[in-house]
Amino acid sequence: MTSVSEKYHPDKLLKSSPYKGESKRIIAIGASTGGVDAIAKILRQLPRNLPPIIITQHIPDGFSTSFANRLNINSELDVFEVRQRMPLRDSCVYLAPGGLHMLLDRQGNNYYARPQDGIRISRHCPSVDVMFRSLNNVAGKAALAIIMTGMGDDGSIGIKELYDNGAYTIAQDEASCVVFGMPKQAIAKGAIYDIVGLDSIHKKIIAYANGELKRNH
């Protein structure tokens, strides 16, 4: 067993290999404390015909299935828990299972998600850092990455890699976070292009899907 107090870098599980080419749009959301309700609120406000959305929420094994089911019932999108390798499709959401990391692959121009057993990275399994790094390895600048309410700093390494590779990165603002730890650490790292309140995140996702969200630098 690894000690929860030990902090492992994403390198322990997945090498950084940033994707530099053109690719299809894909959206990733990472959250911890307060994230269950915040994510549910965002998904309720989203229409169909969006690029695939992948989500890592810190959640214990046994709770992620009911969370995925709840999101599926209460949104227009089709929500799946990633318990096996799955192709990522438009109008669909893919949730990391409790106790497993979620990694991405690509074949041609298509994305796939799969569960991955492993040690806690940045003190968590599933880890937002692992998802964001994996996203950068397959999509790079084509991605939209959003880091939301949560304690600690999981996600700040991976989202900085995405930012440095040209991806559009968003942090939830302090006023709308239950705990501002994860967004705060990402902002401090210089990993964030835009800071947005919870009530406006869905608008950014829609704008991105429509090709209207562009980085100026």
Side-chain angles (χ1 to χ4, degrees):
M1 284 289 290
T2 58
S3 167
V4 175
S5 64
E6 288 187 77
K7 188 172 180 185
Y8 291 105
H9 191 277
D11 288 347
K12 282 269 186 185
L13 189 79
L14 181 67
K15 188 179 73 169
S16 175
S17 180
Y19 181 77
K20 298 293 186 181
E22 299 298 321
S23 198
K24 292 195 296 191
R25 293 186 181 99
I26 180 171
I27 299 153
I29 299 172
S32 187
T33 312
V36 168
D37 290 338
I39 288 165
K41 182 172 186 174
I42 291 168
L43 294 195
R44 276 199 306 271
Q45 299 175 94
L46 291 175
R48 293 185 66 82
N49 298 315
L50 296 175
I53 300 173
I54 56 172
I55 297 175
T56 291
Q57 161 72 42
H58 295 160
I59 200 163
D61 188 19
F63 290 91
S64 51
T65 302
S66 58
F67 181 42
N69 289 340
R70 173 186 157 195
L71 294 176
N72 189 53
I73 290 165
N74 292 307
S75 79
E76 294 292 314
L77 303 167
D78 300 323
V79 182
F80 301 94
E81 186 184 25
V82 179
R83 289 282 174 184
Q84 59 192 20
R85 188 172 186 265
M86 307 176 75
L88 302 191
R89 305 193 190 284
D90 291 349
S91 305
C92 295
V93 178
Y94 301 87
L95 180 70
L100 294 169
H101 297 294
M102 179 168 60
L103 271 64
L104 302 183
D105 304 313
R106 67 178 291 145
Q107 285 180 247
N109 204 29
N110 297 312
Y111 302 124
Y112 296 81
R114 59 184 167 87
Q116 174 70 50
D117 200 3
I119 59 172
R120 292 171 181 261
I121 301 295
S122 303
R123 297 200 174 94
H124 293 282
C125 184
S127 162
V128 179
D129 270 327
V130 168
M131 177 186 70
F132 281 159
R133 170 169 283 189
S134 191
L135 176 66
N136 192 39
N137 287 355
V138 301
K141 66 183 180 182
L144 170 64
I146 304 167
I147 192 162
M148 293 177 53
T149 178
M151 198 176 298
D153 64 358
D154 185 25
S156 63
I157 295 169
I159 203 167
K160 179 66 162 76
E161 293 171 350
L162 281 157
Y163 177 87
D164 289 346
N165 201 14
Y168 201 104
T169 59
I170 289 175
Q172 184 180 350
D173 72 355
E174 184 170 11
S176 66
C177 281
V178 174
V179 181
F180 190 49
M182 284 166 52
K184 182 179 180 180
Q185 292 300 319
I187 293 164
K189 265 196 164 80
I192 299 302
Y193 184 75
D194 209 355
I195 301 171
V196 179
L198 177 61
D199 288 340
S200 297
I201 290 176
H202 73 286
K203 296 175 189 171
K204 292 287 186 178
I205 291 172
I206 294 166
Y208 163 81
N210 292 333
E212 298 161 4
L213 211 59
K214 304 286 186 188
R215 273 180 53 167
N216 295 324
H217 59 79

